[in-house]
Amino acid sequence: DQQVKQNSPSLSVQEGRISILNCDYTNSMFDYFLWYKKYPAEGPTFLISISSIKDKNEDGRFTVFLNKSAKHLSLHIVPSQPGDSAVYFCVWNAGNMLTFGGGTRLMVKP
Amino acid sequence: DAGVIQSPRHEVTEMGQEVTLRCKPISGHDYLFWYRQTMMRGLELLIYFNNNVPIDDSGMPEDRFSAKMPNASFSNLKIQPSEPRDSAVYFCASSRDGGNEQYFGPGTRLTVT
């Protein structure tokens, strides 16, 4: 069974600086890991994905890094903007079924 | 595109009452998912449908919970009888191909007193 753990419940960074959100998993068998973002009173929205055969995927200001030997992935946001303030979920995709981590609340201060 | 529509947005009911949550997926999406978010358990998948057929309901917590999808444009989740521990935000999501990107509705906040 796969477990997805986000050990930092919150993170605060200054506007313009880098935000790094971390995620650990337990099961080496997977096809994709995803990141979703959630604003208050809204549903989560898909942000970026990474497949098991890659170690990096970049989309604009967002980059996800995968370290399979450490069973660890991270999301980098550079530069951080106040509008990035939200809860970020690390998500395992098990073929249509998504398993969400506990989330990290990011606060970007102007 | 109107996105995934859920109703009601808020529901307050008394223990023992039946609760019905409704969802209209994005047109053309073949997959529909029901999730529940609580402080204790986070965001968890309850059940999902493909082409209106339930595929996996292993996340449904008890027999008090049931979900149906009578057609491609509507699904409901029922709780009968409701209990205070059912209080949570319930999300509906849909996707075109069951892949990485699921589109979530705004959620229904259920409070059972």
Side-chain angles (χ1 to χ4, degrees), chain A residues 6-22 35-40 47 61-63 74-90 102-110:
Chain A
Q6 297 177 253
N7 293 318
S8 298
S10 65
L11 174 68
S12 181
V13 299
Q14 206 67 36
E15 181 180 5
R17 306 295 289 268
I18 184 171
S19 295
I20 300 176
L21 297 98
N22 295 302
W35 285 92
Y36 273 71
K37 179 171 72 173
K38 185 183 182 302
Y39 293 117
L47 186 58
R61 297 184 298 113
F62 301 91
T63 303
S74 60
L75 174 68
H76 293 210
I77 307 173
V78 182
S80 301
Q81 300 174 354
D84 296 330
S85 297
V87 177
Y88 289 79
F89 293 98
C90 177
T104 297
R105 182 177 300 278
L106 173 65
M107 293 163 284
V108 181
K109 295 180 287 187

Side-chain angles (χ1 to χ4, degrees), chain A residues 43-58:
Chain A
T45 56
F46 172 77
L47 186 58
I48 192 170
S49 66
I50 188 163
S51 80
S52 59
I53 61 173
K54 293 188 174 182
D55 54 17
K56 176 182 173 181
N57 188 27
E58 188 173 352

Side-chain angles (χ1 to χ4, degrees), chain B:
Chain B
D1 192 342
V4 175
I5 299 172
Q6 291 187 248
S7 63
R9 292 294 308 274
H10 301 274
E11 176 80 30
V12 181
T13 190
E14 291 185 349
M15 182 176 64
Q17 298 297 307
E18 178 177 296
V19 175
T20 299
L21 311 180
R22 298 174 177 82
C23 175
K24 177 179 170 55
I26 293 172
S27 176
H29 283 190
D30 296 331
Y31 288 81
L32 184 138
F33 307 82
W34 282 101
Y35 291 86
R36 177 173 71 172
Q37 184 178 31
T38 62
M39 289 294 292
M40 290 297 295
R41 299 177 63 87
L43 194 61
E44 54 182 348
L45 177 68
L46 299 178
I47 184 172
Y48 82 94
F49 296 81
N50 178 215
N51 291 323
N52 313 337
V53 176
I55 303 301
D56 192 305
D57 65 354
S58 59
M60 295 286 262
E62 301 171 34
D63 291 344
R64 298 184 296 106
F65 286 70
S66 64
K68 293 184 179 179
M69 192 166 186
N71 57 63
S73 57
F74 177 74
S75 174
N76 62 36
L77 177 68
K78 288 190 177 182
I79 309 172
Q80 167 63 17
S82 58
E83 296 182 4
R85 60 196 168 115
D86 301 331
S87 297
V89 180
Y90 291 80
F91 290 100
C92 175
S94 69
S95 73
R96 184 172 291 107
D97 55 6
N100 293 329
E101 188 163 7
Q102 296 182 10
Y103 295 80
F104 282 74
T108 295
R109 180 174 295 277
L110 172 65
T111 303
V112 184
T113 61

